[in-house]
Amino acid sequence: MNVKKIILAAMLVSSMTIGIMGCSTINDDKNDNTEKVDKDTNDVIAEEKKQNADDNKPVANSTNKLEDNNKSSQDSTKNDGDASQEKPLASNDNIKEKVYSENNITEKIKNYIINDQENKPEAQKIKWSKTFLNQVDIESLYKKYIANAGKTDDLESFANYINLNAPISSGWEDLFKKDLYDAYGEKVVRLEPLKDNLYQAYIVKDGSEVPYVVVSSRTGYFHG
């Protein structure tokens, strides 16, 4: 009887052992399958992340490009605005002042009147005393000449304008007397008005006043 119980107990233990081993095998297979699924899932997730990163990259580049374009447009607008603000500063008066300075109109017209009319007949020459010409505010006259539709750098035209419009110096008589004495050593004793701005100058010769030269009170030019 005891032997029979022992055999039955052994058979029961054997069956339980086989069941446990079977369960262990099933669990191992299940774990392997689970790990495989997890790995596949991770691979899919990684691939999706990579694609999303690739998809998002052009968007970022496009956004950056748009921002750069907006910045360039703003800079361009700013530069254009700065330029437009600077333009009004160059007024007509400033431009004219620059022209006068750059062209040295004073020296040019003096040289033209005194030295540069050799190709003209004597009667057509514009004639001035150097002393009188040095008293003239040439730049001021040039501004008025330009304002009255005068031609820029037309020296002959401007010389004629000076000849007619230069103001007469308040000390012209003394200037003329000195010029005449320096040139001929004669002293003027009287000035008699003729016409326009012309005067007859008298000197003493052999104890008598005699007419000597005619002088322009504007230009200081005199002739016998």
Side-chain angles (χ1 to χ4, degrees), residues 3-143:
V3 173
K4 187 177 181 178
K5 289 181 178 181
I6 292 170
I7 292 171
L8 289 173
M11 291 175 65
L12 181 60
V13 171
S14 177
S15 297
M16 291 177 64
T17 301
I18 292 170
I20 292 171
M21 291 178 64
C23 289
S24 177
T25 302
I26 293 171
N27 288 335
D28 290 340
D29 293 338
K30 183 178 181 180
N31 289 337
D32 290 341
N33 291 334
T34 300
E35 289 177 359
K36 183 176 181 180
V37 170
D38 290 343
K39 181 178 179 181
D40 292 340
T41 301
N42 290 336
D43 290 342
V44 170
I45 292 173
E47 183 65 23
E48 289 180 352
K49 287 182 178 180
K50 181 178 179 182
Q51 290 179 355
N52 288 337
D54 292 338
D55 292 339
N56 290 333
K57 187 174 181 180
V59 174
N61 290 339
S62 177
T63 302
N64 292 337
K65 185 174 182 181
L66 180 60
E67 291 176 353
D68 290 341
N69 289 338
N70 290 337
K71 184 177 179 182
S72 298
S73 177
Q74 291 174 355
D75 292 342
S76 177
T77 303
K78 182 178 178 182
N79 292 335
D80 291 341
D82 292 342
S84 63
Q85 291 177 358
E86 292 176 358
K87 288 179 182 177
L89 296 178
S91 66
N92 290 336
D93 288 339
N94 290 337
I95 292 172
K96 288 178 181 178
E97 291 291 345
K98 185 177 180 181
V99 170
Y100 308 146
S101 176
E102 288 180 350
N103 292 344
N104 293 323
I105 190 62
T106 297
E107 295 305 318
K108 283 187 176 183
I109 198 63
K110 285 181 179 180
N111 183 66
Y112 174 79
I113 291 174
I114 301 301
N115 303 313
D116 197 19
Q117 300 183 81
E118 298 301 326
N119 59 334
K120 285 184 176 183
E122 196 67 25
Q124 295 180 10
K125 290 182 180 180
I126 298 169
K127 298 177 181 179
W128 276 69
S129 156
K130 289 182 181 180
T131 305
F132 277 62
L133 192 57
N134 287 335
Q135 302 298 312
V136 178
D137 185 351
I138 291 175
E139 288 192 4
S140 177
L141 281 174
Y142 190 66
K143 292 178 184 179

